[in-house]
Amino acid sequence: MDELIFRGRDRYRLSWRHLIAPVAAIAVQLFLAAQDLSSVAFSWLTAGAFVLLAGGLWSSRRSWTRVGADGITICWGIGRGRTHPWREIRWIDTRDINGRTGMAYTARITLTNRRRRSLPALTDSATYPLPDFDADVQRIIDWWELSTDPSARFRPPQRLRDRIGPRTWGVVLGLAIAAALALHIFVLRHWLY
């Protein structure tokens, strides 16, 4: 089989449409900070915001995943990447993420230590659609099945965060915060009166 490589620079094209929201958020934060900060602090804050934005864009374009005879190599844009040999990979699947722009799907591997790793540049979303996502994931699975013994493969149990979506976590967190505030107010009233 031929070695597969998926690169962020082939997928993530920089466009003004994608930059509007982060630049607008930074501009609003800087405007609010300019009213309360000195000019030196404001300058540092501005430089830091743009370094973070540029660093995120730079690392996403430099990220890649390579699938070959030695295993799956993952690089998140810094360094040479880390190779996970086939003997360490127990499962390959996709994760569904329901975000602001709709559903996104990302390929991931589960290792022998039960840690999961997403594969960079293998994400299908409304912002960055990948028409061949299912075919690409199947090609990775074919490599995995060819390189491993069937007895070494197992489907990991679902974790709590896989079973409960972000909206449910938000509701639970909101209720916990509301309960903590109510308890705090009740205790304060009891102690003050």
Side-chain angles (χ1 to χ4, degrees), residues 36-88:
D36 295 335
L37 297 176
S38 67
S39 61
V40 173
F42 178 74
S43 298
W44 277 104
L45 184 66
T46 304
F50 283 108
V51 164
L52 286 174
L53 179 64
L57 293 171
W58 180 75
S59 69
S60 68
R61 288 193 43 86
R62 292 203 50 193
S63 64
W64 52 269
T65 299
R66 186 179 65 231
V67 181
D70 55 342
I72 298 178
T73 305
I74 298 171
C75 179
W76 285 100
I78 299 172
R80 293 183 178 185
R82 181 174 181 184
T83 300
H84 300 283
W86 292 115
R87 68 180 181 280
E88 291 181 6

Side-chain angles (χ1 to χ4, degrees), residues 5-138:
I5 188 157
F6 306 97
R7 297 180 299 210
R9 69 176 175 214
D10 298 335
R11 297 245 12 257
Y12 306 121
R13 303 279 185 224
L14 189 60
S15 70
W16 288 108
R17 183 177 62 117
H18 297 124
L19 283 177
I20 289 175
V23 170
I26 289 172
V28 168
Q29 291 174 358
L30 292 176
F31 174 75
L32 295 174
Q35 298 172 0
D36 295 335
L37 297 176
S38 67
S39 61
V40 173
F42 178 74
S43 298
W44 277 104
L45 184 66
T46 304
F50 283 108
V51 164
L52 286 174
L53 179 64
L57 293 171
W58 180 75
S59 69
S60 68
R61 288 193 43 86
R62 292 203 50 193
S63 64
W64 52 269
T65 299
R66 186 179 65 231
V67 181
D70 55 342
I72 298 178
T73 305
I74 298 171
C75 179
W76 285 100
I78 299 172
R80 293 183 178 185
R82 181 174 181 184
T83 300
H84 300 283
W86 292 115
R87 68 180 181 280
E88 291 181 6
I89 299 172
R90 294 295 181 242
W91 195 254
I92 299 175
D93 64 351
T94 59
R95 180 173 185 210
D96 307 342
I97 304 164
N98 192 1
R100 290 179 299 157
T101 58
M103 290 297 289
Y105 306 94
T106 185
R108 67 182 179 177
I109 59 175
T110 303
L111 304 172
T112 54
N113 59 7
R114 298 193 187 266
R115 290 189 178 178
R116 294 182 172 136
R117 300 285 181 254
S118 295
L119 303 180
L122 274 168
T123 302
D124 180 31
S125 65
T127 307
Y128 293 106
L130 184 61
D132 297 332
F133 176 76
D134 293 329
D136 290 338
V137 171
Q138 187 57 50

